[in-house]
Amino acid sequence: MNYLERYLPILTWGRVYNKETATSDLVAAVIVTIMLIPQSLAYALLAGLPPEVGLYASILPLVAYAIFGTSRALAVGPVAVVSLMTASAVGEIASQGTPEYLGAAIALAFISGLMLVLMGFFRLGFLANLLSHPVISGFITASGLLIASSQLKHILGVPAHGHNLYDILLSIGSHITEANWITFLIGASSTAFLFWVRKDLKKRLLSFGLSPFLADILTKAGPVGAVAVTTLTAALFSLGDKGVRLVGDIPSGLPMPQLPPLQSDLWMQLAGPALLISVIGFVESVSVAQTLAAKKRQRIDPDQELIGLGTSNIASAISGGYPVTGGFARSVVNFDAGAATPAAGAFTAIGIAVATLFLTPRLTNLPQATLAATIIVAVLSLVDFGTIKRTFDYSKSDFTAMAATILVTLFFGVEQGVVTGVLLSIGLYLYRNSRPHMAIVGVVPGSEHFRNIDRHKVVTGDTVLSLRVDESLFFANSRFLEDKVYALVAERKNLKHVVLMCPA
């Protein structure tokens, strides 16, 4: 049974599942479902896919994670950064709106899922440590800015393209005279409304005497309110005939399970992007999961999390979705709403499935500007300029990696940005470890203690050199030690003895 529980965590919490726990999970599922419906539609459009694909990617993956995942609060589904990376990877293979584009996105999810599952079986969860926090933070900040800028074309109602900040802004600027003022009014007002909802609505509702629970639900329903009002407005005034771009017909019904495209050349083209998406998604997900677990004195298993996320991506591919991972915002909402077990995710999947069956026909007149506003408000919360200054203050090398990641991501693309950050992090790590800290030491008068001559008043002699090496020695830094010893010996003509002190 222990072996089964290792790979099927549902057997652990499922044995003690009761009515009270189910109530907590159901309440959390209602709140997350309300939040996830507009987000799923918006993130699918960000990935260059039909909006219903975002809903498909929010059903079976949640069920798979409930079975194989170890976090009690992590909410799996489409997220902004992975959606952007999907658009970047698949856009190199096929044109948006074509069956080949959708097929490549589905294959990308399947390949990513297989990679994550294999990494989990081989217990490679420690690989997350190779991506430093400054690099991840810089990548997410740059991606947030890139995503927000890419949505300006929907807010303005202009055609634009580009995979980096310069190309996007240049393209938008060249078409600015074509802006549709009705679209801009919808997009700008939706953005302002959603920012106000996020910042002030809950406090206002509490001041009116509403219970914290009801105030929280109404606040989370802000995006749904924006979707409902703008959809109704577009339908009443036939805004589609006035140049406002609408989502259009969204197929109702659940997707039939199917295998992803299996062409070997397509898989070869997607292998590199799939690996990047897998690693970035895993690092983001496991960071959120560990933070939330620590608040309840729980723990997660990083290796099993790889399997949980891997099976979620495989489930997404089988159901016609695209790559998914644990989302920061929705996981925090899930946690705050009282989710007690991963079953909350399964209940959320039921809610999304019901919406897919009965809600989608009513979204035909939904303006794309509203979904763009939803994305902008969501991703700008991920932008953290304060981290840049804090990183600069405590580590110039980490700041170098972070700044390079931000700049390359913004001006060259997401894949180039994360690769640059990873290579710089590893390079700086190897550089620091190839130059271990060493100190010439002397004896403290009246004692048997040896201390650094640059920091303490100590006694030394001309014929004896005591050198303390403060880090472990291995092949990458042994030559540096050798050169250091030769240099010190060459400087001291009367030297007869060299004592190496290796406490590390």
Side-chain angles (χ1 to χ4, degrees), residues 239-251:
L239 296 184
D241 297 333
K242 299 176 182 178
V244 176
R245 296 181 181 178
L246 307 177
V247 169
D249 292 330
I250 301 177

Side-chain angles (χ1 to χ4, degrees), residues 290-312:
Q290 287 176 334
T291 300
L292 297 179
K295 292 184 177 182
K296 288 190 175 181
R297 297 190 178 184
Q298 298 168 349
R299 64 177 298 274
I300 66 166
D301 182 350
D303 296 322
Q304 184 60 29
E305 281 298 291
L306 284 166
I307 296 176
L309 290 175
T311 53
S312 296

Side-chain angles (χ1 to χ4, degrees), residues 16-36:
V16 295
Y17 202 72
N18 53 42
K19 183 178 179 180
E20 181 182 352
T21 307
T23 302
S24 298
D25 287 342
L26 279 169
V27 171
V30 170
I31 296 176
V32 175
T33 300
I34 291 172
M35 176 185 183
L36 195 55

